[in-house]
């Protein structure tokens, strides 16, 4: 949850009965910020891999690494598209479907893992570690699937 609250948000946390709503709202807002950060890391990884692909193509246009990079970029674009269409932090689904505080805490934990893995993925792309990126993509996809189950427990 954000450390810096506006004076109004601090007052809202003091109101009995309203605190739970505000805490959930802050978690939802943080979730949206995290997903935007992860999306940006994935886009940076695509750019880094594309730069590496260009360098490789200049030296050896028939290198098998070019195809590997194209496959990774495709998977990364798919992840970005999935994140863009996922349940976001501030939409109406919360009013219709009950999400418990425990589920929101798990979402925060998933978000933390997403940040760590996306940072590592971005660094791996910069370092040119093509083999490790695929595993990181699958870890992110797994976390996103778990995240969706938390938002829609009735679909399990």
């Amino acid at each position: 949850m954000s450390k810096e609250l506006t004076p109004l948000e601090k007052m809202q946390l003091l109101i009995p009965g309203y605190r739970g709503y505000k805490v959930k709202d802050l978690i939802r807002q943080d979730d949206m910020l995290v997903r935007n950060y992860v999306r940006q890391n994935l886009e940076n990884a695509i750019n880094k891999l594309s730069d590496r692909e260009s360098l490789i193509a200049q030296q050896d246009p028939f290198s098998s690494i070019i195809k590997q990079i194209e496959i990774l970029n495709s998977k990364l674009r798919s992840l970005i598209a999935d994140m863009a269409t996922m349940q976001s932090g501030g939409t109406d689904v919360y009013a219709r479907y009950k999400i418990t505080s425990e589920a929101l805490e798990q979402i925060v934990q998933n978000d933390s893992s997403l940040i760590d893995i996306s940072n590592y993925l971005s660094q791996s792309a910069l370092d040119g570690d093509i083999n490790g990126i695929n595993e990181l993509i699958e870890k992110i996809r797994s976390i996103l699937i778990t995240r969706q189950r938390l938002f829609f427990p009735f679909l399990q």
Side-chain angles (χ1 to χ4, degrees):
M1 188 176 332
S2 298
K3 300 283 185 213
E4 298 177 25
L5 300 175
T6 66
L8 177 62
E9 288 173 326
K10 289 177 184 177
M11 282 188 350
Q12 290 170 337
L13 288 174
L14 296 175
I15 299 171
Y18 189 81
R19 177 176 169 69
Y21 293 111
K22 188 61 184 172
V23 169
K24 286 182 181 183
D25 183 53
L26 291 171
I27 291 172
R28 292 177 192 130
Q29 290 175 28
D30 289 348
D31 176 61
M32 179 65 104
L33 292 172
V34 166
R35 287 188 310 110
N36 285 337
Y37 177 83
V38 170
R39 182 188 44 76
Q40 188 174 30
N41 268 349
L42 297 178
E43 289 171 353
N44 289 338
I46 288 172
N47 292 335
K48 292 170 189 173
L49 287 172
S50 295
D51 290 345
R52 182 164 299 280
E53 180 182 16
S54 294
L55 291 173
I56 293 169
Q58 289 173 359
Q59 296 171 354
D60 181 9
F62 302 107
S63 173
S64 63
I65 296 173
I66 294 173
K67 183 177 181 179
Q68 291 174 340
I69 291 174
E70 281 299 316
I71 290 169
L72 289 175
N73 278 345
S74 177
K75 287 181 178 183
L76 287 168
R77 284 196 260 325
S78 175
L79 271 180
I80 290 169
D82 289 348
M83 290 184 77
T85 60
M86 279 186 160
Q87 177 60 50
S88 62
T91 57
D92 298 342
V93 80
Y94 299 102
R96 188 160 184 192
Y97 304 113
K98 175 100 171 110
I99 295 183
T100 64
S101 295
E102 294 81 17
L104 285 173
E105 287 300 322
Q106 288 179 318
I107 290 167
V108 170
Q109 290 172 359
N110 285 348
D111 286 348
S112 176
S113 296
L114 282 173
I115 289 172
D116 293 341
I117 295 169
S118 73
N119 284 336
Y120 191 63
L121 190 146
S122 184
Q123 186 60 47
S124 295
L126 181 64
D127 296 341
D129 180 12
I130 295 170
N131 296 325
I133 292 174
N134 197 46
E135 181 180 329
L136 295 171
I137 290 171
E138 292 308 314
K139 284 182 180 181
I140 290 174
R141 187 166 300 289
S142 175
I143 291 171
L144 293 177
I145 289 169
T146 301
R147 181 185 182 283
Q148 282 301 96
R149 287 184 182 140
L150 291 169
F151 277 103
F152 301 103
F154 59 89
L155 293 177
Q156 295 179 16

